[in-house]
Amino acid sequence: MTQQTVDHASAALDEQELNLLFGEAYTTYAFSDEPVDAELVARVYEDARWAPTAMNIQPLRLTVVPAGDAREALVEQMAEGNKEKTAAAPMTVVAAFDPNWHVHMPHLAPHREGLREDFEGKPEAREAMGRTNALLQIGYFVLALRAHGLQVGPMAGFNAAGVDEAFHTENGWKTLLALNIGQAPNAEDENAQRPRAGRLAFDQAAQVV
């Protein structure tokens, strides 16, 4: 397979496209009633999966939870302030990591022979790498959702062990965040999106050495 040469200057996103991802994007707490199909979530993942992780380990795992009994089971594990908005969201995705990501390395990194076997006896290293890189992938996934025109409300307020018991007993995945997803903010709810809070400037958050 040959790689195509990309003119990165001309491929850069324009201001309007960047604002869709960053400057004009908000966390959404309440959504319109328009549905979000699981197939759309799958298409979003198809884009997000190409972003880099350490050694291409790709530990992020997603549990797509439409409305219904599974959503009710998830709502039971949410913190009190997150129950109502999770119950009302058109779609919720539970983002987790797979502590056994190493079993896929012959496919994900075939050039690294013996990597699966090397990590077989290192559960603590797998746990640390899986968590860090899945969190990185969640960031990619949020941006990919925005790029597909969706609104997102990430949440960390829940009983992770309870979510794992409800959804991950067979695969051993470990929950990190829950993402409520919709097509648009609820126009009738003044708190659907809140005014933007402050952000640190570059010279506050970075140093050039």
Side-chain angles (χ1 to χ4, degrees):
M1 180 183 298
T2 59
Q3 292 185 334
Q4 294 181 343
T5 300
V6 176
D7 182 348
H8 291 284
S10 63
L13 301 181
D14 63 29
E15 184 175 356
Q16 182 177 0
E17 292 167 328
L18 287 169
N19 281 334
L20 179 67
L21 301 179
F22 300 105
E24 295 179 1
Y26 291 78
T27 297
T28 301
Y29 301 93
F31 302 89
S32 67
D33 293 333
E34 300 167 90
V36 174
D37 194 278
E39 292 183 1
L40 178 54
V41 177
R43 292 200 298 273
V44 172
Y45 175 78
E46 288 294 313
D47 289 331
R49 67 183 178 139
W50 297 109
T53 54
M55 297 187 297
N56 199 36
I57 67 173
Q58 300 287 303
L60 178 66
R61 303 292 183 265
L62 304 175
T63 300
V64 180
V65 190
D69 292 342
R71 180 74 67 82
E72 292 178 8
L74 177 60
V75 170
E76 289 181 4
Q77 303 303 325
M78 304 304 293
E80 197 60 39
N82 289 333
K83 288 181 182 292
E84 183 177 350
K85 55 190 175 186
T86 301
M91 175 67 75
T92 302
V93 173
V94 175
F97 75 96
D98 185 358
N100 295 314
W101 51 262
H102 66 299
V103 303
H104 299 284
M105 295 317 293
H107 169 64
L108 296 175
H111 60 290
R112 301 289 295 269
E113 293 185 10
L115 201 61
R116 175 177 59 185
E117 293 74 16
D118 183 47
F119 276 98
E120 181 65 37
K122 300 177 179 178
E124 292 182 0
R126 296 200 316 266
E127 178 105 3
M129 291 182 63
R131 178 179 294 275
T132 297
N133 284 275
L135 288 169
L136 182 65
Q137 285 188 280
I138 291 171
Y140 300 143
F141 186 66
V142 168
L143 291 179
L145 288 165
R146 289 176 172 180
H148 280 259
L150 295 168
Q151 303 291 322
V152 194
M155 299 175 297
F158 50 79
N159 175 10
V163 176
D164 288 341
E165 185 176 353
F167 297 101
H168 300 149
T169 55
E170 294 185 2
N171 52 40
W173 300 350
K174 295 192 175 183
T175 300
L176 294 171
L177 290 174
L179 310 174
N180 286 334
I181 302 169
Q183 298 283 358
N186 184 346
E188 298 180 0
D189 188 337
E190 62 181 11
N191 293 314
Q193 291 181 331
R194 298 169 186 168
R196 189 180 300 286
R199 297 293 192 273
L200 296 180
F202 179 79
D203 60 359
Q204 295 174 292
Q207 60 179 356
V208 180
V209 297

